Amino acid sequence: MLPIQSKLPDVGTTIFTVMSSLAAELKAINLGQGFPDFQMNEELISLVDEAMENGFNQYVPMQGYMPLRETIAEKIHSLYNTNIDPDSQVTITPGGTYAIYTALTTVLQPGDEVIVFEPAYDSYIPNIVINNAKPVLINLKFPEYKIDWDEVRKKINSKTRMIMLNSPHNPTGNVLRAEDIEELRAVVKDTNIFILSDEVYEHLIFDNVPHQSMLRYPDLLERSFVCFSFGKIYHCTGWKLGYCITTQELTKEFRKVHQFNCFSCHSPSQVALSKYLKNKEAYLSLGNFMQEKRDYFRQLMSATKFIPLPSYGSYFQIYKYGEIGDESDTDFAIRITKEYGVATIPVSVFYQSGKDDKVVRFCFAKKKETLEKAVERLLKIGR
Ligand code: PMP
Ligand code: GLN
């Protein structure tokens, strides 16, 4: 075997693959990995079929299908009153994860520091490390999972190149508030710090809380890469299609990286989305749709011994399991998959230190019957 020096020596297989494989092997109900188990919108499926029939089966431009970029710019204007130039500020990418990786690769030089809040979505840190930059870790304050801005101020120095934000947040379901934006503004003012804003759950926000997109704030957008995922919001995670919005200058650099990695993305779905995205109701109703699932799941779970933490957005709800288990969260997640047939995600995997607050993450983006069946099983724990 030829020797290879690993670029990511400390990285194993992502927890999502581990728990989904275990769930499949044991035929458990999978409330672990974040993906819906219900059918996506039929109209959107028909629009893809139609695009293929109409011959949209060849490469679109490297930046993305222009009518889709135009519709995205219109949508941003209608949501946030911000003007985005579709030609020079929007790039279609194969998913949100790729957009994030590309943005980091565009900006980071060896030795740069990147502020990452933990628990953190598991692609962030390897994406920083592979660019020879350094993640600077800050814990969100448990159990509210709020940002400690004093800690951020302490960690910032001349090497700080970027701050990574994610709202609505995976795995906690917390969201940024107007106060956080004020703190962020103060922290980055007069610095060369970029912002990576992971907004893949943008419409999946509950209780009428406004989504604090960087797109709302021109002064922050100036230094931001804002990343989105069609898969997450339109219930088609397997499509792996998303986009990145940034300034004209940063877009130029972003596309230098993008064009030699993927060049262009799946054409028929871009054609379909360019039409479907014009339907405002379709995206404005997503928050209520998912909130109903959160509320239904929480109502069912109230009969179990799990204790919920708040979830204001995303697909996810965190629960404490202290009353029914004293093992580590990973052992607990494995045990309930094996013994009760319900897979979850242990939250400690989202910390480099393995910090274990004895909580697990459930994905409630599922059919009612799936949630009911899962909770029926969970009710048996500790009885
Ligand atoms: N960021 C977060 C926080 C996510 O949960 C996901 C979902 N996997 C992504 C990015 C990436 O989405 P995509 O599947 O479009 O790559
Ligand atoms: N975002 C999804 C989750 O957090 C999973 C995506 C993936 O498997 N990479 O569960």
Side-chain angles (χ1 to χ4, degrees), residues 48-207:
V48 179
D49 282 349
E50 191 183 294
M52 288 197 204
E53 293 293 346
N54 289 340
F56 288 100
N57 299 302
Q58 309 309 328
Y59 294 131
V60 294
M62 163 284 266
Q63 307 87 325
Y65 181 59
M66 189 54 174
L68 175 57
R69 288 186 279 139
E70 283 167 352
T71 317
I72 290 170
E74 282 162 23
K75 179 183 163 197
I76 293 169
H77 189 263
S78 108
L79 285 174
Y80 306 118
N81 207 21
T82 298
N83 290 322
I84 295 291
D85 176 27
D87 194 28
S88 59
Q89 291 187 267
V90 184
T91 309
I92 309 296
T93 63
T97 312
Y98 171 104
I100 295 164
Y101 178 77
T102 306
L104 291 167
T105 304
T106 300
V107 161
L108 296 180
Q109 300 289 346
D112 282 349
E113 294 189 0
V114 181
I115 298 218
V116 180
F117 300 102
E118 288 192 310
Y121 181 56
D122 72 343
S123 75
Y124 296 170
I125 290 169
N127 284 185
I128 296 167
V129 170
I130 209 157
N131 280 296
N132 290 314
K134 184 180 161 209
V136 173
L137 308 173
I138 297 180
N139 286 344
L140 293 172
K141 282 189 277 185
F142 183 78
E144 299 86 11
Y145 292 113
K146 281 188 186 293
I147 295 179
D148 181 342
W149 289 101
D150 287 333
E151 177 96 21
V152 177
R153 278 183 275 276
K154 279 188 211 145
K155 294 261 164 88
I156 283 184
N157 62 50
S158 60
K159 291 195 202 138
T160 311
R161 196 75 183 127
M162 198 177 237
I163 297 179
M164 295 187 78
L165 296 170
N166 172 212
S167 180
H169 185 257
N170 179 4
T172 67
N174 200 9
V175 297
L176 289 176
R177 306 290 174 150
E179 312 85 83
D180 292 304
I181 300 297
E182 285 320 307
E183 294 274 17
L184 176 64
R185 276 199 164 123
V187 159
V188 297
K189 194 166 179 281
D190 302 326
T191 70
N192 291 329
I193 300 174
F194 291 105
I195 296 166
L196 184 301
S197 187
D198 177 349
E199 302 186 12
V200 299
Y201 298 102
E202 65 174 327
H203 298 298
L204 308 179
I205 182 160
F206 318 136
D207 308 319

Side-chain angles (χ1 to χ4, degrees), residues 271-291:
V271 174
L273 282 162
S274 70
K275 296 181 181 155
Y276 190 67
L277 223 60
K278 293 198 188 294
N279 181 352
K280 287 189 188 175
E281 191 42 36
Y283 56 80
L284 293 178
S285 59
L286 287 164
N288 281 344
F289 171 81
M290 205 52 85
Q291 180 176 334

Side-chain angles (χ1 to χ4, degrees), residues 14 16-17 32-35 97 121-122 170 201 232 240 315-316 345 350 361:
T14 163
F16 304 121
T17 301
Q33 190 177 17
F35 63 89
T97 312
Y121 181 56
D122 72 343
N170 179 4
Y201 298 102
K232 287 289 177 191
K240 293 301 290 189
Y315 285 175
F316 307 115
I345 300 287
F350 300 108
R361 185 195 84 175

